[in-house]
Amino acid sequence: HRVMEFSRLLFRSWTDFVPVGVHVDYWDYLGWKDPFAKSAYSDRQRDYAAHWHSRSVYTPSFVLDGKEWSNRKELLRASSNSVGVLRASSTDTKQWALQFQPGGSSRPPTSHFHAPLLVFDLVSKVKAGENSGRQLDYDFVVLEFGIAHRIKHGEHSQANHTFPSNPPPPPSRLA
């Protein structure tokens, strides 16, 4: 049953929402350093914990609109309202053009885009810690987070953003 729910969730990704894997470094002390983790991402989790008045920092399954979502059925229903269409394009994987077209009466609530550069088909061989000896496969890994200030053009908004680092070499894919 849980596999079916997760399959429906993945099927709806890219159309209703885009999952992102934000790797944190606060688990490094367990004996294995996550090669995709950044301390800035751990700080982001600490900010969430403070916002939620949590006594501990942990990694939630999903965050939607700044709130933790642990009920996957609720998440599936939550994405049924169309807020619009976001398009991102790049010719060199470093410079990106972003465009948002609101749907219905939806209006963007902020003056900027939060733009994660996602990488896919990553593999990590764990040499220590609780997953020692395992190979972990990753998709939707946040390589960089960017904030691009939007410019309104009639009903739609657009922005350009340049990510500071170069993407990893193939076989990974970017979005």
Side-chain angles (χ1 to χ4, degrees), residues 24 32 51 61 66 74 90 100 103 111 127 131 139-140 175:
V24 294
W32 172 71
H51 179 74
S61 296
E74 194 173 328
S90 176
F100 178 73
S111 61
K127 297 184 178 171
N131 289 316
D139 286 317
F140 297 98

Side-chain angles (χ1 to χ4, degrees), residues 67-88:
K67 298 179 186 119
E68 180 184 10
W69 287 76
S70 57
N71 182 342
R72 286 179 175 84
K73 288 180 185 178
E74 194 173 328
L75 178 64
L76 289 169
R77 283 192 306 269
S79 63
S80 65
N81 294 334
S82 175
V83 295
V85 176
L86 175 65
R87 289 185 175 84

Side-chain angles (χ1 to χ4, degrees), residues 22-169:
V22 182
H23 291 238
V24 294
D25 67 355
Y26 52 73
W27 300 116
D28 286 358
Y29 74 93
L30 295 175
W32 172 71
K33 186 172 176 151
D34 184 339
F36 312 115
K38 292 189 177 185
S39 60
Y41 302 160
S42 294
D43 292 342
R44 179 182 167 102
Q45 290 304 111
R46 289 182 187 96
D47 290 344
Y48 276 131
H51 179 74
W52 296 331
H53 306 290
S54 175
R55 292 182 180 202
S56 63
V57 177
Y58 59 94
T59 309
S61 296
F62 293 95
V63 176
L64 181 63
D65 294 332
K67 298 179 186 119
E68 180 184 10
W69 287 76
S70 57
N71 182 342
R72 286 179 175 84
K73 288 180 185 178
E74 194 173 328
L75 178 64
L76 289 169
R77 283 192 306 269
S79 63
S80 65
N81 294 334
S82 175
V83 295
V85 176
L86 175 65
R87 289 185 175 84
S89 60
S90 176
T91 57
D92 64 2
T93 69
K94 195 167 180 174
Q95 299 208 10
W96 289 80
L98 308 167
Q99 184 178 37
F100 178 73
Q101 179 70 45
S105 62
S106 174
R107 295 289 176 255
T110 63
S111 61
H112 52 273
F113 290 93
H114 290 265
L117 180 61
L118 303 178
V119 67
F120 300 81
D121 300 327
L122 294 176
V123 174
S124 178
K125 295 183 186 210
V126 182
K127 297 184 178 171
E130 66 182 342
N131 289 316
S132 183
R134 293 181 61 199
Q135 175 179 300
L136 303 178
D137 301 318
Y138 299 102
D139 286 317
F140 297 98
V141 175
V142 174
L143 183 64
E144 295 284 342
F145 258 116
I147 296 179
H149 297 282
R150 73 177 174 93
I151 300 168
K152 189 167 177 161
H153 293 281
E155 289 298 311
H156 75 277
S157 301
Q158 65 185 42
N160 293 307
H161 183 72
T162 302
F163 286 100
S165 69
N166 292 321

